[in-house]
Amino acid sequence: MTGQIRVAAVIVTYNSADVLGDCLRSLCEQGMPMAAVVVADNSSTDKTRDIAEDFAAHPVRVVDLGRNAGYAAGVNAGIDALDLTCLDAVLVLNADCQVLPGALSVLASALRQSGHGIVVPRLVLPDGSTQLTLRRRPTVGRALVEALLPGNLAGRIGSLGEVVTDPQAYERPDVTAWATGAAMLFSVSALREIGPWDESFLLYSEETEYCLRAAEKGWHTWYEPAAVFRHVGGESHTNPTLASLMTVNKVVLFRRRHNRLHSAAYFAAITVGQCIRAATGRRTSRASALALLRPSRRVRELAS
């Protein structure tokens, strides 16, 4: 990529009227022109579509999926609506993200480096604290350690935990196995080679699967802390239904990538961890444990 990098944005929405305007405005305040902005909407029932269509600072194309098909389906629909031949990169965003001044150009510069097919920013929460977004590869050992140790303690002991919790790791740029999918910049070359996102996950683990698949094709996921995005954050830590979907999807993804013995061990480790936390009264863990042990309790489709 030479000269001015040509970037388009895909924003995935579902009843996002309270955050979409701020997200769109942050894109237009970057000091670099956006080649295109697509809002991939999962058939919102609020004013999300009106806000996108009435946005005055930049033309926004709205793609309605016709149902609440999930994050991966929104990403795929948004990318399909773009003319990739005219682009160098695509920024995929949750609607509850805001790109802080100058962050997009920093991401774009990092993407120019050889082998960086995906670049992710530092995400900060509304209170300014850094969100723990970096992850190591899921393994049976890491799942077991995280099941038995409280809180984020596993991530503080070397590389035992899947979640990277060392504050120093969030201060330096580096390759990461995968990262939270709320904000990701993809090179068009990588998108073409890696292919579409796996829509079977609905929500959660779709970014994990994509980053792992990208790495197998030689495309690194690069963390760039100098690019800062603000993230309001989701409900997976408080909503039992979403928490159970996130937990089940972790097991499903692992099973797809490993043999039966390793998959059974991983399932057992995740289940033990959720049962331990459910015994302390955590509602999200109780829902997760039930979904793991009783497949009939698993989420098959998202609310419309």
Side-chain angles (χ1 to χ4, degrees):
M1 290 177 281
T2 59
Q4 178 70 51
I5 186 171
R6 300 165 299 177
V7 181
V10 171
I11 305 170
V12 181
T13 57
Y14 174 68
N15 288 345
S16 305
D18 56 339
V19 292
L20 179 58
D22 289 337
C23 179
L24 289 169
R25 280 187 289 274
S26 73
L27 281 175
C28 293
E29 295 169 356
Q30 286 304 297
M32 59 182 294
M34 298 301 302
V37 177
V38 174
V39 168
D41 185 56
N42 281 283
S43 290
S44 297
T45 57
D46 62 1
K47 294 187 178 297
T48 295
R49 184 170 185 136
D50 294 338
I51 290 171
E53 291 176 339
D54 295 342
F55 190 70
H58 191 285
V60 177
R61 179 177 178 184
V62 178
V63 177
D64 192 331
L65 276 72
R67 61 188 178 92
N68 190 0
Y71 193 69
V75 172
N76 287 339
I79 292 174
D80 287 346
L82 296 169
D83 181 0
L84 296 183
T85 63
C86 300
L87 299 172
D88 299 305
V90 177
L91 177 68
V92 170
L93 279 177
N94 274 8
D96 62 355
C97 282
Q98 298 161 26
V99 190
L100 297 190
L104 185 54
S105 63
V106 174
L107 277 191
S109 295
L111 194 67
R112 291 175 182 270
Q113 299 182 46
S114 176
H116 294 175
I118 307 169
V119 180
V120 296
R122 180 202 298 258
L123 294 184
V124 297
L125 299 172
D127 64 3
S129 62
T130 297
Q131 185 177 354
L132 301 180
T133 59
L134 303 181
R135 301 290 187 270
R136 303 180 180 95
R137 292 182 67 89
T139 66
V140 173
R142 286 174 178 146
L144 184 59
V145 169
E146 290 188 341
L148 299 178
L149 294 182
N152 291 319
L153 181 58
R156 300 172 189 166
I157 306 174
S159 60
L160 289 181
E162 183 176 341
V163 180
V164 178
T165 59
D166 179 6
Q168 294 184 355
Y170 289 86
E171 299 300 325
R172 57 179 181 265
D174 202 354
V175 172
T176 186
W178 66 279
T180 300
M184 300 178 124
L185 184 67
F186 298 87
S187 75
V188 166
S189 297
L191 287 173
R192 285 178 169 147
E193 185 174 349
I194 302 164
W197 287 45
D198 188 333
E199 298 181 13
S200 66
F201 288 103
L202 296 179
L203 285 174
Y204 312 117
S205 288
E206 66 274 84
E207 74 268 53
T208 318
E209 190 279 334
Y210 202 82
C211 289
L212 296 180
R213 180 158 37 113
E216 291 169 351
K217 294 180 178 294
W219 295 102
H220 302 304
T221 298
W222 183 261
Y223 169 65
E224 182 47 70
V228 183
F229 288 37
R230 184 179 295 113
H231 185 212
V232 175
E235 302 176 85
S236 62
H237 297 297
T238 59
N239 184 309
T241 299
L242 295 181
S244 69
L245 178 59
M246 181 170 65
T247 302
V248 168
N249 279 354
K250 289 177 63 174
V251 173
V252 168
L253 174 59
F254 194 90
R255 182 179 297 139
R256 290 180 183 178
R257 301 178 62 85
H258 297 83
N259 62 36
R260 290 185 179 181
L261 180 60
H262 280 84
S263 297
Y266 188 82
F267 172 84
I270 295 294
T271 302
V272 166
Q274 294 302 323
C275 287
I276 290 173
R277 288 160 178 76
T280 68
R282 188 178 297 179
R283 294 173 58 244
T284 52
S285 292
R286 182 177 184 276
S288 296
L290 285 173
L292 289 168
L293 297 171
R294 297 174 59 182
S296 63
R297 301 290 293 269
R298 296 178 183 177
V299 177
R300 305 296 180 185
E301 60 183 21
L302 298 174
S304 57

